[in-house]
Amino acid sequence: MTTESSSLLRAPHRTQPRLDRAVMLVAIACVLIVVGASFVSPGILSPGYLLQQLQIASILGVLATGAMLVILLGQIDLSVPLTITATAILSTTLAGSGVPALEALAIPAGLAGGVLIGLINGLGVVLFRIPSMVWTLAVNAMLLGITVFYTGGFKPNGAPPTLAVFIAHGRTLGIPNAFLLWLVVGGVTTFLLRKTIFGTYVYAYGQAQRALFMAGAPVERLTLAVFAFAGFMSSLGSLLLVGYANQAYQGMGDTYLLPVIAAVVIGGTSILGGSGSYAGTFVGALFITLLSSVLSLMQVPDALRQFIFGAIILLMLLINRHPRTR
């Protein structure tokens, strides 16, 4: 094992001070958005509005969780939109089938579908050595064809799973269940990244894949596991979205790709991989949700909103363009 390899495996994610600064800056920006918007609409400061934003941000946060791990590898997953749509259609079709056995499988089947899509993405990168950007974009296009063929381009028949509706809309002690689920997801993900060999490998892969391979780490299995995890999170976020919207529809995931990537990058995760913290993704998802809500209140056109999201991503890429500390 080389000196570089051993150093990567010992502490690949200790050199994170500027990421902590990024988290603080984004958190401050969230506060400024809320306070600034309150001068236009004082109701923004009400507990009801803020809890609703936490509820909505939970969907984006869960989706961004899987995307973050893929980006930590230095890869990208562009199949998020149709993974959301396909698993939503699958789960609502089973939940609305009228057959108790199939209804019970609605959520497990939806989650399994996401894992399967993630494994297909990982296999393309591992077996065929095709860049993840190209492979996942092709998978997204194939999923689009499958869903259009199945639905005929119309709204699919079905019903949202009862549990999905309960989590998306229900509250425990006044706190949205979706937000509580997001906290659990965030806690588990943080533990995996900071306290397990899996997390060590993820950071080391993004910093120096060749060194990790030379150290004898299971690089291929790691890649498959991360993409499968990302697929699982996309399907979990899809179920939250289904429960929140009380339906599945063609193209329901189309608007999430850019916000998901923005939430990860804004939080300080390097698009080159190897550095980032889940706290950054957490505040990034809150920032995107609050910004989108405020822009909607101000009746900013959707085209301008997309432009703003893209500009923010470019700005964060410029801020974090310095070489990573190895």
Side-chain angles (χ1 to χ4, degrees):
M1 183 183 298
T2 65
T3 302
E4 181 184 12
S5 302
S6 59
S7 64
L8 281 170
L9 296 181
R10 280 199 304 270
H13 48 286
R14 289 180 183 174
T15 56
Q16 302 277 346
R18 68 185 179 87
L19 296 179
D20 293 338
R21 185 170 65 248
V23 173
M24 293 177 59
L25 289 175
V26 177
I28 292 172
C30 290
V31 175
L32 292 177
I33 287 176
V34 172
V35 174
S38 67
F39 291 103
V40 179
S41 178
I44 285 179
L45 294 177
S46 67
Y49 175 84
L50 296 177
L51 287 174
Q52 183 187 35
Q53 296 311 300
L54 289 180
Q55 184 179 11
I56 298 172
S58 300
I59 300 174
L60 178 60
V62 170
L63 293 171
T65 301
M68 177 194 172
L69 264 68
V70 173
I71 291 176
L72 282 175
L73 294 184
Q75 307 285 351
I76 193 75
D77 183 4
L78 300 182
S79 67
V80 171
L82 266 298
T83 300
I84 295 173
T85 302
T87 55
I89 292 175
L90 174 60
S91 61
T92 54
T93 298
L94 293 176
S97 64
V99 180
L102 293 179
E103 291 175 355
L105 292 174
I107 290 181
L111 296 175
V115 172
L116 177 61
I117 295 171
L119 286 174
I120 293 173
N121 288 333
L123 286 172
V125 175
V126 169
L127 292 183
F128 303 110
R129 308 298 180 184
I130 297 177
S132 57
M133 177 180 294
V134 178
W135 181 268
T136 58
L137 186 62
V139 169
N140 192 74
M142 290 188 291
L143 289 172
L144 175 60
I146 293 172
T147 56
V148 171
F149 176 79
Y150 176 76
T151 63
F154 299 100
K155 177 183 174 181
N157 295 323
T162 304
L163 181 59
V165 175
F166 172 74
I167 296 176
H169 285 283
R171 298 196 175 190
T172 300
L173 300 178
I175 302 175
N177 290 336
F179 181 66
L180 295 177
L181 175 62
W182 185 21
L183 291 179
V184 172
V185 168
V188 172
T189 304
T190 301
F191 175 80
L192 288 175
L193 289 176
R194 300 181 65 86
K195 301 296 183 180
T196 69
I197 191 64
F198 170 79
T200 300
Y201 284 163
V202 167
Y203 281 101
Y205 184 112
Q207 292 179 0
Q209 181 182 353
R210 177 177 294 183
L212 184 64
F213 178 78
M214 293 176 63
V219 174
E220 294 184 347
R221 281 184 290 168
L222 175 68
T223 304
L224 288 174
V226 169
F227 274 98
F229 179 82
F232 178 84
M233 286 299 156
S234 291
S235 59
L236 182 60
S238 172
L239 289 171
L240 286 176
L241 184 58
V242 164
Y244 186 78
N246 280 303
Q247 62 177 335
Y249 53 90
Q250 187 69 45
M252 69 184 301
D254 291 351
T255 59
Y256 277 91
L257 180 59
L258 188 58
V260 163
I261 296 175
V264 177
V265 175
I266 287 172
T269 299
S270 172
I271 199 70
L272 299 176
S275 62
S277 67
Y278 191 79
T281 299
F282 187 89
V283 296
L286 289 176
F287 175 83
I288 291 296
T289 301
L290 289 171
L291 179 63
S292 179
S293 176
V294 169
L295 291 177
S296 296
L297 287 175
M298 296 174 65
Q299 298 183 343
V300 174
D302 184 66
L304 182 55
R305 257 183 283 174
Q306 296 299 318
F307 176 83
I308 292 173
F309 289 148
I312 290 173
I313 293 177
L314 290 177
L315 177 62
M316 294 306 298
L317 288 175
L318 291 173
I319 292 175
N320 296 322
R321 71 185 185 280
H322 304 291
R324 293 163 296 179
T325 302
R326 293 187 182 277

